[in-house]
């Protein structure tokens, strides 16, 4: 399995061996990896070589360490293309997963100046503020806060937002959703995100802010989300 005469470093060959076992399903999410000593004996290499291979796999998000317990196979990341505008519900259903939400709060509030500026409305105009945990197959994926123009998107209820908001807007209100602008940043999880997303202190997250527009150019929604970086990755197709 390991060719010590190959120009490919031994630690890279060991990485590929473990990756192949993951891809074939021989190592499944949640499985514990053998200890470094066992791999070192199996491949007749130093533990330092094994450690380098393991560290690279951790950095790639394929495995993770749990202090005092060992090294485990990570859940496969959801790949989110940056082309196309879909809701979380539509996206998860398209993957064959069951989307759900845990509603934390649903209020009609006077909008702050910074949100009002983005939504092109006056300060203190009423907006819906919706805070919820977004889940796929009952696994927390993101912590989300939405601000939606109440004068434009009328009649929202808890029942509606627990279904598909975009479907309600397009089918019930007969408004056509056009496009969105989105900003993605990296950060470390805060205490609230650690608690609600069931991740560890200091884990990386993806902060995403999106403003969505109707076909006529009117902004109607701002969404601020904290996504688990261990479960999500974003891809973009670029053409010259």
């Amino acid at each position: 399995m390991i060719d010590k005469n190959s120009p490919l470093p031994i630690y890279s060959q060991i990485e590929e061996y473990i990756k192949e076992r993951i891809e074939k399903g021989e190592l499944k999410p949640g499985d514990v990896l053998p200890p470094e000593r066992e791999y070192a004996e199996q491949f007749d290499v130093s533990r330092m070589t094994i450690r380098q291979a393991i560290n690279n796999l951790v950095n790639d998000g394929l495995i993770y360490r749990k202090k005092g317990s060992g090294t485990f196979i990570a859940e496969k990341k959801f790949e989110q293309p940056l082309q196309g505008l879909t809701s979380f519900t539509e996206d998860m259903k398209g993957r064959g997963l069951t989307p759900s939400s845990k509603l934390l709060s649903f209020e009609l509030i006077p909008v702050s100046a910074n949100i009002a500026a983005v939504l092109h409305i006056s300060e203190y105009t009423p907006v819906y503020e919706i805070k919820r945990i977004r889940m796929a197959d009952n696994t927390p994926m993101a912590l989300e806060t939405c601000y939606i123009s109440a004068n434009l998107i009328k009649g929202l209820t808890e029942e509606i937002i627990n279904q598909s908001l975009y479907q309600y807007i397009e089918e019930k209100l007969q408004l056509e959703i056009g496009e969105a602008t989105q900003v993605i940043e990296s950060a470390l999880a805060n205490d609230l995100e650690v608690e609600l997303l069931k991740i560890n202190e200091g884990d990386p997250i993806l902060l995403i802010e999106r403003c969505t527009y109707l076909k006529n150019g009117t902004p109607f929604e701002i969404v601020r989300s904290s996504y688990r970086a261990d479960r999500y990755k974003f891809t973009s197709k670029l053409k010259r």
Side-chain angles (χ1 to χ4, degrees), residues 82-172:
L82 291 177
Q83 304 97 322
L85 176 56
T86 58
S87 69
F88 180 88
T89 298
E90 292 167 340
D91 184 34
M92 292 301 107
K93 284 183 176 179
R95 300 171 192 273
L97 303 172
T98 302
S100 60
S101 299
K102 181 180 180 181
L103 187 63
L104 302 176
S105 65
F106 175 66
E107 299 180 272
L108 194 62
I109 64 169
V111 70
S112 63
N114 62 325
I115 298 293
V118 178
L119 290 177
H120 298 176
I121 56 179
S122 302
E123 189 177 358
Y124 306 122
T125 298
V127 296
Y128 295 105
E129 182 190 67
I130 305 162
K131 296 184 179 181
R132 52 188 172 175
I133 304 171
R134 307 308 300 264
M135 296 181 283
D137 286 349
N138 293 319
T139 298
M141 298 298 297
L143 180 61
E144 178 184 277
T145 301
C146 294
Y147 299 95
I148 299 171
S149 175
N151 290 341
L152 191 60
I153 310 301
K154 300 179 184 295
L156 281 188
T157 64
E158 290 187 17
E159 182 180 0
I160 290 169
I161 62 172
N162 281 328
Q163 305 298 318
S164 174
L165 174 63
Y166 284 9
Q167 186 177 359
Y168 171 76
I169 291 172
E170 294 189 314
E171 294 183 6
K172 298 295 183 182

Side-chain angles (χ1 to χ4, degrees), residues 12-28:
S12 294
Q13 295 181 54
I14 295 170
E15 279 180 61
E16 291 304 314
Y17 166 76
I18 296 174
K19 283 181 182 178
E20 186 175 332
R21 292 197 66 199
I22 294 172
E23 289 169 0
K24 288 181 176 179
E26 295 171 6
L27 290 173
K28 297 179 173 56

